[in-house]
Amino acid sequence: MNIPVIILGFGGHARVLIDVLRLQGIQILGISIPDEDLNHKYYDGIPIIGNDKDVLEYSKNDIRLINGLGSVKESEHRKKLYEQFSNMGYQFTNAIHPSAIISSNVHLSEAVQVMAGAVIQPGAVVGINTIINTRASIDHDCNIGSHVHIAPGVTISGGVIVNDNVHVGTGAVIIQGVSIGNNSVIGAGAVVINNVFDNTTVLGVPARVKGE
């Protein structure tokens, strides 16, 4: 059943999602935006329904939600937004661009977003509320945690573990078998050849811990 959706938040990431949802043939009822932006009536042709509180006027049985927040600066807000509505019983749908290549032997959790040209190979698992962005490549038997952002052009080799709340920056490369700890940030263009501990930022080629 094609249940209509409401997008939470607006901006560049939400605009990409609008395109993905249209290509999927999913009806978009509207977009919720912050109070300070409520002078807007439409965004990319989609009606503004109000703020997040106004979403609660819709029955959780009649709609699905899409998390429209995207960047690393909003990662904690993005997580809280998902948890807020999920705890109230609302469900989030997955947004999958038709050009993405996803093996039939892949497990995608709730609220996963896979953008144009992404590849996810057999045996991979992707956790809740995670973004696999444009042309990212996830190889076989990887475990990608929840509330993760795999940015455009990232390459992750086989058997990699990316734990929860991680941001992997644009064009980064992670070699096979490496584990990335919770709440870590992999800088854009970094090449990760060793395990990364929790709460760590790594930069460079090869990647080094920030400050070292």
Side-chain angles (χ1 to χ4, degrees), residues 102-143:
I102 303 174
S103 167
S104 59
N105 187 23
V106 165
H107 176 74
L108 300 181
S109 302
E110 183 183 17
V112 169
Q113 298 169 1
V114 184
M115 302 308 184
V119 177
I120 309 179
Q121 297 285 25
V125 175
V126 181
I128 60 172
N129 196 40
T130 283
I131 303 169
I132 310 297
N133 222 319
T134 309
R135 295 184 64 197
S137 176
I138 313 295
D139 221 297
H140 65 89
D141 302 305
C142 288
N143 194 325

PDB file of all heavy atoms in Angstrom, residues 102-143:
ATOM      1  N   ILE A 102      20.826  -2.119  -4.931  1.00  0.00           N
ATOM      2  CA  ILE A 102      20.783  -2.727  -3.599  1.00  0.00           C
ATOM      3  C   ILE A 102      20.543  -4.226  -3.763  1.00  0.00           C
ATOM      4  O   ILE A 102      19.541  -4.644  -4.346  1.00  0.00           O
ATOM      5  CB  ILE A 102      19.661  -2.109  -2.743  1.00  0.00           C
ATOM      6  CG1 ILE A 102      19.856  -0.585  -2.639  1.00  0.00           C
ATOM      7  CG2 ILE A 102      19.630  -2.741  -1.358  1.00  0.00           C
ATOM      8  CD1 ILE A 102      18.724   0.127  -1.935  1.00  0.00           C
ATOM      9  N   SER A 103      21.473  -5.022  -3.274  1.00  0.00           N
ATOM     10  CA  SER A 103      21.323  -6.474  -3.358  1.00  0.00           C
ATOM     11  C   SER A 103      20.038  -6.922  -2.662  1.00  0.00           C
ATOM     12  O   SER A 103      19.585  -6.311  -1.683  1.00  0.00           O
ATOM     13  CB  SER A 103      22.531  -7.154  -2.700  1.00  0.00           C
ATOM     14  OG  SER A 103      22.286  -8.530  -2.497  1.00  0.00           O
ATOM     15  N   SER A 104      19.491  -8.014  -3.152  1.00  0.00           N
ATOM     16  CA  SER A 104      18.308  -8.593  -2.500  1.00  0.00           C
ATOM     17  C   SER A 104      18.658  -9.177  -1.137  1.00  0.00           C
ATOM     18  O   SER A 104      17.780  -9.444  -0.324  1.00  0.00           O
ATOM     19  CB  SER A 104      17.706  -9.687  -3.390  1.00  0.00           C
ATOM     20  OG  SER A 104      18.662 -10.714  -3.630  1.00  0.00           O
ATOM     21  N   ASN A 105      19.955  -9.345  -0.877  1.00  0.00           N
ATOM     22  CA  ASN A 105      20.418  -9.886   0.402  1.00  0.00           C
ATOM     23  C   ASN A 105      20.978  -8.762   1.280  1.00  0.00           C
ATOM     24  O   ASN A 105      22.061  -8.857   1.846  1.00  0.00           O
ATOM     25  CB  ASN A 105      21.493 -10.956   0.161  1.00  0.00           C
ATOM     26  CG  ASN A 105      21.901 -11.668   1.433  1.00  0.00           C
ATOM     27  OD1 ASN A 105      21.147 -11.701   2.411  1.00  0.00           O
ATOM     28  ND2 ASN A 105      23.103 -12.213   1.444  1.00  0.00           N
ATOM     29  N   VAL A 106      20.211  -7.673   1.376  1.00  0.00           N
ATOM     30  CA  VAL A 106      20.552  -6.523   2.217  1.00  0.00           C
ATOM     31  C   VAL A 106      19.384  -6.246   3.137  1.00  0.00           C
ATOM     32  O   VAL A 106      18.223  -6.326   2.718  1.00  0.00           O
ATOM     33  CB  VAL A 106      20.857  -5.280   1.352  1.00  0.00           C
ATOM     34  CG1 VAL A 106      20.854  -4.001   2.187  1.00  0.00           C
ATOM     35  CG2 VAL A 106      22.204  -5.427   0.661  1.00  0.00           C
ATOM     36  N   HIS A 107      19.679  -5.923   4.399  1.00  0.00           N
ATOM     37  CA  HIS A 107      18.613  -5.554   5.331  1.00  0.00           C
ATOM     38  C   HIS A 107      18.640  -4.050   5.570  1.00  0.00           C
ATOM     39  O   HIS A 107      19.631  -3.510   6.072  1.00  0.00           O
ATOM     40  CB  HIS A 107      18.763  -6.267   6.680  1.00  0.00           C
ATOM     41  CG  HIS A 107      17.742  -5.821   7.687  1.00  0.00           C
ATOM     42  ND1 HIS A 107      16.418  -6.207   7.617  1.00  0.00           N
ATOM     43  CD2 HIS A 107      17.854  -5.003   8.760  1.00  0.00           C
ATOM     44  CE1 HIS A 107      15.762  -5.650   8.620  1.00  0.00           C
ATOM     45  NE2 HIS A 107      16.599  -4.913   9.329  1.00  0.00           N
ATOM     46  N   LEU A 108      17.556  -3.380   5.178  1.00  0.00           N
ATOM     47  CA  LEU A 108      17.390  -1.954   5.433  1.00  0.00           C
ATOM     48  C   LEU A 108      16.380  -1.776   6.555  1.00  0.00           C
ATOM     49  O   LEU A 108      15.247  -2.252   6.464  1.00  0.00           O
ATOM     50  CB  LEU A 108      16.899  -1.231   4.179  1.00  0.00           C
ATOM     51  CG  LEU A 108      17.778  -1.302   2.926  1.00  0.00           C
ATOM     52  CD1 LEU A 108      17.130  -0.515   1.801  1.00  0.00           C
ATOM     53  CD2 LEU A 108      19.179  -0.788   3.201  1.00  0.00           C
ATOM     54  N   SER A 109      16.767  -1.072   7.603  1.00  0.00           N
ATOM     55  CA  SER A 109      15.871  -0.817   8.728  1.00  0.00           C
ATOM     56  C   SER A 109      14.926   0.331   8.393  1.00  0.00           C
ATOM     57  O   SER A 109      14.932   0.868   7.276  1.00  0.00           O
ATOM     58  CB  SER A 109      16.690  -0.507   9.983  1.00  0.00           C
ATOM     59  OG  SER A 109      17.567  -1.576  10.281  1.00  0.00           O
ATOM     60  N   GLU A 110      14.133   0.758   9.361  1.00  0.00           N
ATOM     61  CA  GLU A 110      13.169   1.828   9.157  1.00  0.00           C
ATOM     62  C   GLU A 110      13.873   3.168   8.942  1.00  0.00           C
ATOM     63  O   GLU A 110      14.923   3.443   9.523  1.00  0.00           O
ATOM     64  CB  GLU A 110      12.250   1.934  10.377  1.00  0.00           C
ATOM     65  CG  GLU A 110      11.155   2.992  10.232  1.00  0.00           C
ATOM     66  CD  GLU A 110      10.309   3.133  11.481  1.00  0.00           C
ATOM     67  OE1 GLU A 110      10.736   2.681  12.554  1.00  0.00           O
ATOM     68  OE2 GLU A 110       9.222   3.724  11.376  1.00  0.00           O
ATOM     69  N   ALA A 111      13.264   4.016   8.095  1.00  0.00           N
ATOM     70  CA  ALA A 111      13.687   5.402   7.888  1.00  0.00           C
ATOM     71  C   ALA A 111      15.035   5.520   7.183  1.00  0.00           C
ATOM     72  O   ALA A 111      15.688   6.559   7.248  1.00  0.00           O
ATOM     73  CB  ALA A 111      13.727   6.168   9.211  1.00  0.00           C
ATOM     74  N   VAL A 112      15.464   4.485   6.491  1.00  0.00           N
ATOM     75  CA  VAL A 112      16.714   4.533   5.724  1.00  0.00           C
ATOM     76  C   VAL A 112      16.477   5.316   4.431  1.00  0.00           C
ATOM     77  O   VAL A 112      15.437   5.190   3.785  1.00  0.00           O
ATOM     78  CB  VAL A 112      17.216   3.111   5.410  1.00  0.00           C
ATOM     79  CG1 VAL A 112      18.343   3.136   4.387  1.00  0.00           C
ATOM     80  CG2 VAL A 112      17.682   2.431   6.685  1.00  0.00           C
ATOM     81  N   GLN A 113      17.473   6.119   4.051  1.00  0.00           N
ATOM     82  CA  GLN A 113      17.412   6.895   2.817  1.00  0.00           C
ATOM     83  C   GLN A 113      18.627   6.561   1.966  1.00  0.00           C
ATOM     84  O   GLN A 113      19.765   6.714   2.421  1.00  0.00           O
ATOM     85  CB  GLN A 113      17.361   8.389   3.144  1.00  0.00           C
ATOM     86  CG  GLN A 113      16.117   8.760   3.954  1.00  0.00           C
ATOM     87  CD  GLN A 113      16.150  10.156   4.525  1.00  0.00           C
ATOM     88  OE1 GLN A 113      17.104  10.903   4.314  1.00  0.00           O
ATOM     89  NE2 GLN A 113      15.118  10.530   5.242  1.00  0.00           N
ATOM     90  N   VAL A 114      18.377   6.087   0.749  1.00  0.00           N
ATOM     91  CA  VAL A 114      19.452   5.692  -0.164  1.00  0.00           C
ATOM     92  C   VAL A 114      19.321   6.550  -1.422  1.00  0.00           C
ATOM     93  O   VAL A 114      18.312   6.490  -2.127  1.00  0.00           O
ATOM     94  CB  VAL A 114      19.381   4.192  -0.516  1.00  0.00           C
ATOM     95  CG1 VAL A 114      20.561   3.804  -1.392  1.00  0.00           C
ATOM     96  CG2 VAL A 114      19.346   3.341   0.747  1.00  0.00           C
ATOM     97  N   MET A 115      20.351   7.331  -1.698  1.00  0.00           N
ATOM     98  CA  MET A 115      20.268   8.328  -2.755  1.00  0.00           C
ATOM     99  C   MET A 115      20.777   7.804  -4.101  1.00  0.00           C
ATOM    100  O   MET A 115      21.224   6.659  -4.214  1.00  0.00           O
ATOM    101  CB  MET A 115      21.032   9.578  -2.330  1.00  0.00           C
ATOM    102  CG  MET A 115      20.526  10.189  -1.032  1.00  0.00           C
ATOM    103  SD  MET A 115      18.730  10.467  -1.044  1.00  0.00           S
ATOM    104  CE  MET A 115      18.521  11.288   0.519  1.00  0.00           C
ATOM    105  N   ALA A 116      20.736   8.670  -5.085  1.00  0.00           N
ATOM    106  CA  ALA A 116      21.024   8.292  -6.471  1.00  0.00           C
ATOM    107  C   ALA A 116      22.417   7.699  -6.619  1.00  0.00           C
ATOM    108  O   ALA A 116      23.402   8.221  -6.106  1.00  0.00           O
ATOM    109  CB  ALA A 116      20.890   9.514  -7.377  1.00  0.00           C
ATOM    110  N   GLY A 117      22.481   6.567  -7.325  1.00  0.00           N
ATOM    111  CA  GLY A 117      23.747   5.951  -7.676  1.00  0.00           C
ATOM    112  C   GLY A 117      24.447   5.195  -6.566  1.00  0.00           C
ATOM    113  O   GLY A 117      25.547   4.683  -6.774  1.00  0.00           O
ATOM    114  N   ALA A 118      23.838   5.113  -5.390  1.00  0.00           N
ATOM    115  CA  ALA A 118      24.460   4.363  -4.296  1.00  0.00           C
ATOM    116  C   ALA A 118      24.423   2.868  -4.603  1.00  0.00           C
ATOM    117  O   ALA A 118      23.530   2.377  -5.310  1.00  0.00           O
ATOM    118  CB  ALA A 118      23.750   4.648  -2.984  1.00  0.00           C
ATOM    119  N   VAL A 119      25.413   2.141  -4.048  1.00  0.00           N
ATOM    120  CA  VAL A 119      25.496   0.686  -4.220  1.00  0.00           C
ATOM    121  C   VAL A 119      25.631   0.054  -2.840  1.00  0.00           C
ATOM    122  O   VAL A 119      26.479   0.460  -2.048  1.00  0.00           O
ATOM    123  CB  VAL A 119      26.702   0.287  -5.093  1.00  0.00           C
ATOM    124  CG1 VAL A 119      26.809  -1.231  -5.202  1.00  0.00           C
ATOM    125  CG2 VAL A 119      26.606   0.924  -6.474  1.00  0.00           C
ATOM    126  N   ILE A 120      24.785  -0.941  -2.566  1.00  0.00           N
ATOM    127  CA  ILE A 120      24.874  -1.688  -1.306  1.00  0.00           C
ATOM    128  C   ILE A 120      24.921  -3.173  -1.660  1.00  0.00           C
ATOM    129  O   ILE A 120      23.974  -3.713  -2.238  1.00  0.00           O
ATOM    130  CB  ILE A 120      23.692  -1.394  -0.369  1.00  0.00           C
ATOM    131  CG1 ILE A 120      23.514   0.124  -0.189  1.00  0.00           C
ATOM    132  CG2 ILE A 120      23.901  -2.065   0.982  1.00  0.00           C
ATOM    133  CD1 ILE A 120      22.337   0.507   0.703  1.00  0.00           C
ATOM    134  N   GLN A 121      26.007  -3.828  -1.298  1.00  0.00           N
ATOM    135  CA  GLN A 121      26.273  -5.191  -1.736  1.00  0.00           C
ATOM    136  C   GLN A 121      25.738  -6.239  -0.743  1.00  0.00           C
ATOM    137  O   GLN A 121      25.328  -5.902   0.376  1.00  0.00           O
ATOM    138  CB  GLN A 121      27.782  -5.372  -1.935  1.00  0.00           C
ATOM    139  CG  GLN A 121      28.380  -4.484  -3.018  1.00  0.00           C
ATOM    140  CD  GLN A 121      28.056  -4.964  -4.435  1.00  0.00           C
ATOM    141  OE1 GLN A 121      27.056  -5.642  -4.667  1.00  0.00           O
ATOM    142  NE2 GLN A 121      28.905  -4.621  -5.389  1.00  0.00           N
ATOM    143  N   PRO A 122      25.731  -7.534  -1.144  1.00  0.00           N
ATOM    144  CA  PRO A 122      25.106  -8.593  -0.342  1.00  0.00           C
ATOM    145  C   PRO A 122      25.664  -8.690   1.080  1.00  0.00           C
ATOM    146  O   PRO A 122      26.856  -8.483   1.324  1.00  0.00           O
ATOM    147  CB  PRO A 122      25.415  -9.871  -1.130  1.00  0.00           C
ATOM    148  CG  PRO A 122      25.575  -9.418  -2.537  1.00  0.00           C
ATOM    149  CD  PRO A 122      26.213  -8.071  -2.443  1.00  0.00           C
ATOM    150  N   GLY A 123      24.764  -8.998   1.992  1.00  0.00           N
ATOM    151  CA  GLY A 123      25.132  -9.221   3.381  1.00  0.00           C
ATOM    152  C   GLY A 123      25.205  -7.967   4.223  1.00  0.00           C
ATOM    153  O   GLY A 123      25.448  -8.045   5.438  1.00  0.00           O
ATOM    154  N   ALA A 124      24.995  -6.805   3.619  1.00  0.00           N
ATOM    155  CA  ALA A 124      25.062  -5.553   4.370  1.00  0.00           C
ATOM    156  C   ALA A 124      23.786  -5.342   5.175  1.00  0.00           C
ATOM    157  O   ALA A 124      22.696  -5.768   4.791  1.00  0.00           O
ATOM    158  CB  ALA A 124      25.290  -4.375   3.433  1.00  0.00           C
ATOM    159  N   VAL A 125      23.944  -4.671   6.309  1.00  0.00           N
ATOM    160  CA  VAL A 125      22.830  -4.285   7.172  1.00  0.00           C
ATOM    161  C   VAL A 125      22.932  -2.783   7.402  1.00  0.00           C
ATOM    162  O   VAL A 125      24.017  -2.261   7.692  1.00  0.00           O
ATOM    163  CB  VAL A 125      22.878  -5.026   8.526  1.00  0.00           C
ATOM    164  CG1 VAL A 125      21.785  -4.532   9.461  1.00  0.00           C
ATOM    165  CG2 VAL A 125      22.767  -6.527   8.316  1.00  0.00           C
ATOM    166  N   VAL A 126      21.809  -2.078   7.277  1.00  0.00           N
ATOM    167  CA  VAL A 126      21.787  -0.627   7.479  1.00  0.00           C
ATOM    168  C   VAL A 126      20.770  -0.311   8.567  1.00  0.00           C
ATOM    169  O   VAL A 126      19.596  -0.686   8.471  1.00  0.00           O
ATOM    170  CB  VAL A 126      21.430   0.119   6.176  1.00  0.00           C
ATOM    171  CG1 VAL A 126      21.434   1.628   6.410  1.00  0.00           C
ATOM    172  CG2 VAL A 126      22.410  -0.250   5.060  1.00  0.00           C
ATOM    173  N   GLY A 127      21.208   0.402   9.609  1.00  0.00           N
ATOM    174  CA  GLY A 127      20.374   0.684  10.764  1.00  0.00           C
ATOM    175  C   GLY A 127      19.370   1.808  10.537  1.00  0.00           C
ATOM    176  O   GLY A 127      19.350   2.467   9.493  1.00  0.00           O
ATOM    177  N   ILE A 128      18.546   2.046  11.546  1.00  0.00           N
ATOM    178  CA  ILE A 128      17.440   2.999  11.440  1.00  0.00           C
ATOM    179  C   ILE A 128      17.938   4.434  11.245  1.00  0.00           C
ATOM    180  O   ILE A 128      18.989   4.823  11.744  1.00  0.00           O
ATOM    181  CB  ILE A 128      16.509   2.931  12.664  1.00  0.00           C
ATOM    182  CG1 ILE A 128      17.255   3.259  13.953  1.00  0.00           C
ATOM    183  CG2 ILE A 128      15.839   1.567  12.765  1.00  0.00           C
ATOM    184  CD1 ILE A 128      16.337   3.404  15.150  1.00  0.00           C
ATOM    185  N   ASN A 129      17.157   5.197  10.471  1.00  0.00           N
ATOM    186  CA  ASN A 129      17.358   6.635  10.312  1.00  0.00           C
ATOM    187  C   ASN A 129      18.742   6.966   9.743  1.00  0.00           C
ATOM    188  O   ASN A 129      19.331   7.998  10.067  1.00  0.00           O
ATOM    189  CB  ASN A 129      17.155   7.342  11.665  1.00  0.00           C
ATOM    190  CG  ASN A 129      16.967   8.841  11.526  1.00  0.00           C
ATOM    191  OD1 ASN A 129      16.295   9.313  10.619  1.00  0.00           O
ATOM    192  ND2 ASN A 129      17.579   9.591  12.424  1.00  0.00           N
ATOM    193  N   THR A 130      19.239   6.110   8.882  1.00  0.00           N
ATOM    194  CA  THR A 130      20.576   6.281   8.297  1.00  0.00           C
ATOM    195  C   THR A 130      20.473   6.737   6.844  1.00  0.00           C
ATOM    196  O   THR A 130      19.577   6.303   6.114  1.00  0.00           O
ATOM    197  CB  THR A 130      21.381   4.976   8.423  1.00  0.00           C
ATOM    198  OG1 THR A 130      21.846   4.858   9.770  1.00  0.00           O
ATOM    199  CG2 THR A 130      22.562   4.922   7.487  1.00  0.00           C
ATOM    200  N   ILE A 131      21.396   7.612   6.437  1.00  0.00           N
ATOM    201  CA  ILE A 131      21.464   8.111   5.065  1.00  0.00           C
ATOM    202  C   ILE A 131      22.656   7.469   4.361  1.00  0.00           C
ATOM    203  O   ILE A 131      23.791   7.546   4.837  1.00  0.00           O
ATOM    204  CB  ILE A 131      21.647   9.636   5.025  1.00  0.00           C
ATOM    205  CG1 ILE A 131      20.526  10.354   5.777  1.00  0.00           C
ATOM    206  CG2 ILE A 131      21.723  10.119   3.572  1.00  0.00           C
ATOM    207  CD1 ILE A 131      20.809  11.834   5.997  1.00  0.00           C
ATOM    208  N   ILE A 132      22.385   6.841   3.216  1.00  0.00           N
ATOM    209  CA  ILE A 132      23.440   6.397   2.303  1.00  0.00           C
ATOM    210  C   ILE A 132      23.351   7.353   1.115  1.00  0.00           C
ATOM    211  O   ILE A 132      22.460   7.239   0.281  1.00  0.00           O
ATOM    212  CB  ILE A 132      23.256   4.932   1.855  1.00  0.00           C
ATOM    213  CG1 ILE A 132      23.036   4.006   3.065  1.00  0.00           C
ATOM    214  CG2 ILE A 132      24.440   4.491   1.013  1.00  0.00           C
ATOM    215  CD1 ILE A 132      24.195   3.944   4.030  1.00  0.00           C
ATOM    216  N   ASN A 133      24.257   8.317   1.069  1.00  0.00           N
ATOM    217  CA  ASN A 133      24.076   9.435   0.154  1.00  0.00           C
ATOM    218  C   ASN A 133      24.581   9.127  -1.259  1.00  0.00           C
ATOM    219  O   ASN A 133      25.046   8.027  -1.554  1.00  0.00           O
ATOM    220  CB  ASN A 133      24.741  10.685   0.738  1.00  0.00           C
ATOM    221  CG  ASN A 133      23.882  11.927   0.553  1.00  0.00           C
ATOM    222  OD1 ASN A 133      23.280  12.125  -0.506  1.00  0.00           O
ATOM    223  ND2 ASN A 133      23.828  12.771   1.570  1.00  0.00           N
ATOM    224  N   THR A 134      24.521  10.139  -2.107  1.00  0.00           N
ATOM    225  CA  THR A 134      24.738   9.999  -3.544  1.00  0.00           C
ATOM    226  C   THR A 134      26.052   9.295  -3.884  1.00  0.00           C
ATOM    227  O   THR A 134      27.113   9.683  -3.413  1.00  0.00           O
ATOM    228  CB  THR A 134      24.736  11.390  -4.202  1.00  0.00           C
ATOM    229  OG1 THR A 134      23.567  12.106  -3.785  1.00  0.00           O
ATOM    230  CG2 THR A 134      24.765  11.282  -5.711  1.00  0.00           C
ATOM    231  N   ARG A 135      25.944   8.222  -4.652  1.00  0.00           N
ATOM    232  CA  ARG A 135      27.087   7.447  -5.185  1.00  0.00           C
ATOM    233  C   ARG A 135      27.976   6.842  -4.104  1.00  0.00           C
ATOM    234  O   ARG A 135      29.120   6.476  -4.375  1.00  0.00           O
ATOM    235  CB  ARG A 135      27.918   8.303  -6.141  1.00  0.00           C
ATOM    236  CG  ARG A 135      27.183   8.727  -7.411  1.00  0.00           C
ATOM    237  CD  ARG A 135      28.107   9.487  -8.339  1.00  0.00           C
ATOM    238  NE  ARG A 135      29.201   8.633  -8.800  1.00  0.00           N
ATOM    239  CZ  ARG A 135      30.327   9.106  -9.344  1.00  0.00           C
ATOM    240  NH1 ARG A 135      30.510  10.401  -9.474  1.00  0.00           N
ATOM    241  NH2 ARG A 135      31.262   8.268  -9.747  1.00  0.00           N
ATOM    242  N   ALA A 136      27.470   6.715  -2.900  1.00  0.00           N
ATOM    243  CA  ALA A 136      28.225   5.985  -1.874  1.00  0.00           C
ATOM    244  C   ALA A 136      28.204   4.498  -2.207  1.00  0.00           C
ATOM    245  O   ALA A 136      27.246   3.982  -2.787  1.00  0.00           O
ATOM    246  CB  ALA A 136      27.628   6.226  -0.499  1.00  0.00           C
ATOM    247  N   SER A 137      29.269   3.786  -1.809  1.00  0.00           N
ATOM    248  CA  SER A 137      29.392   2.354  -2.093  1.00  0.00           C
ATOM    249  C   SER A 137      29.645   1.602  -0.791  1.00  0.00           C
ATOM    250  O   SER A 137      30.635   1.855  -0.103  1.00  0.00           O
ATOM    251  CB  SER A 137      30.547   2.118  -3.077  1.00  0.00           C
ATOM    252  OG  SER A 137      30.738   0.734  -3.305  1.00  0.00           O
ATOM    253  N   ILE A 138      28.740   0.688  -0.478  1.00  0.00           N
ATOM    254  CA  ILE A 138      28.847  -0.152   0.722  1.00  0.00           C
ATOM    255  C   ILE A 138      29.055  -1.580   0.248  1.00  0.00           C
ATOM    256  O   ILE A 138      28.159  -2.178  -0.355  1.00  0.00           O
ATOM    257  CB  ILE A 138      27.569  -0.077   1.587  1.00  0.00           C
ATOM    258  CG1 ILE A 138      27.111   1.372   1.793  1.00  0.00           C
ATOM    259  CG2 ILE A 138      27.764  -0.811   2.904  1.00  0.00           C
ATOM    260  CD1 ILE A 138      28.057   2.222   2.570  1.00  0.00           C
ATOM    261  N   ASP A 139      30.207  -2.157   0.539  1.00  0.00           N
ATOM    262  CA  ASP A 139      30.489  -3.483   0.005  1.00  0.00           C
ATOM    263  C   ASP A 139      29.916  -4.585   0.908  1.00  0.00           C
ATOM    264  O   ASP A 139      29.206  -4.308   1.882  1.00  0.00           O
ATOM    265  CB  ASP A 139      31.989  -3.663  -0.245  1.00  0.00           C
ATOM    266  CG  ASP A 139      32.244  -4.399  -1.553  1.00  0.00           C
ATOM    267  OD1 ASP A 139      31.824  -5.572  -1.651  1.00  0.00           O
ATOM    268  OD2 ASP A 139      32.827  -3.806  -2.467  1.00  0.00           O
ATOM    269  N   HIS A 140      30.232  -5.821   0.569  1.00  0.00           N
ATOM    270  CA  HIS A 140      29.586  -6.986   1.171  1.00  0.00           C
ATOM    271  C   HIS A 140      29.808  -7.061   2.692  1.00  0.00           C
ATOM    272  O   HIS A 140      30.855  -6.684   3.210  1.00  0.00           O
ATOM    273  CB  HIS A 140      30.101  -8.278   0.519  1.00  0.00           C
ATOM    274  CG  HIS A 140      31.559  -8.527   0.771  1.00  0.00           C
ATOM    275  ND1 HIS A 140      32.021  -9.217   1.866  1.00  0.00           N
ATOM    276  CD2 HIS A 140      32.655  -8.165   0.063  1.00  0.00           C
ATOM    277  CE1 HIS A 140      33.330  -9.277   1.837  1.00  0.00           C
ATOM    278  NE2 HIS A 140      33.746  -8.639   0.744  1.00  0.00           N
ATOM    279  N   ASP A 141      28.786  -7.541   3.379  1.00  0.00           N
ATOM    280  CA  ASP A 141      28.865  -7.910   4.796  1.00  0.00           C
ATOM    281  C   ASP A 141      29.246  -6.745   5.711  1.00  0.00           C
ATOM    282  O   ASP A 141      29.821  -6.955   6.785  1.00  0.00           O
ATOM    283  CB  ASP A 141      29.850  -9.077   4.998  1.00  0.00           C
ATOM    284  CG  ASP A 141      29.451 -10.294   4.182  1.00  0.00           C
ATOM    285  OD1 ASP A 141      28.298 -10.733   4.335  1.00  0.00           O
ATOM    286  OD2 ASP A 141      30.261 -10.783   3.375  1.00  0.00           O
ATOM    287  N   CYS A 142      28.919  -5.543   5.318  1.00  0.00           N
ATOM    288  CA  CYS A 142      29.124  -4.393   6.203  1.00  0.00           C
ATOM    289  C   CYS A 142      27.931  -4.236   7.134  1.00  0.00           C
ATOM    290  O   CYS A 142      26.797  -4.580   6.792  1.00  0.00           O
ATOM    291  CB  CYS A 142      29.292  -3.108   5.388  1.00  0.00           C
ATOM    292  SG  CYS A 142      30.862  -2.995   4.506  1.00  0.00           S
ATOM    293  N   ASN A 143      28.199  -3.701   8.309  1.00  0.00           N
ATOM    294  CA  ASN A 143      27.140  -3.398   9.280  1.00  0.00           C
ATOM    295  C   ASN A 143      27.183  -1.905   9.557  1.00  0.00           C
ATOM    296  O   ASN A 143      28.098  -1.416  10.214  1.00  0.00           O
ATOM    297  CB  ASN A 143      27.342  -4.204  10.562  1.00  0.00           C
ATOM    298  CG  ASN A 143      26.106  -4.183  11.445  1.00  0.00           C
ATOM    299  OD1 ASN A 143      25.395  -3.185  11.519  1.00  0.00           O
ATOM    300  ND2 ASN A 143      25.851  -5.289  12.124  1.00  0.00           N
TER     301      ASN A 143
END
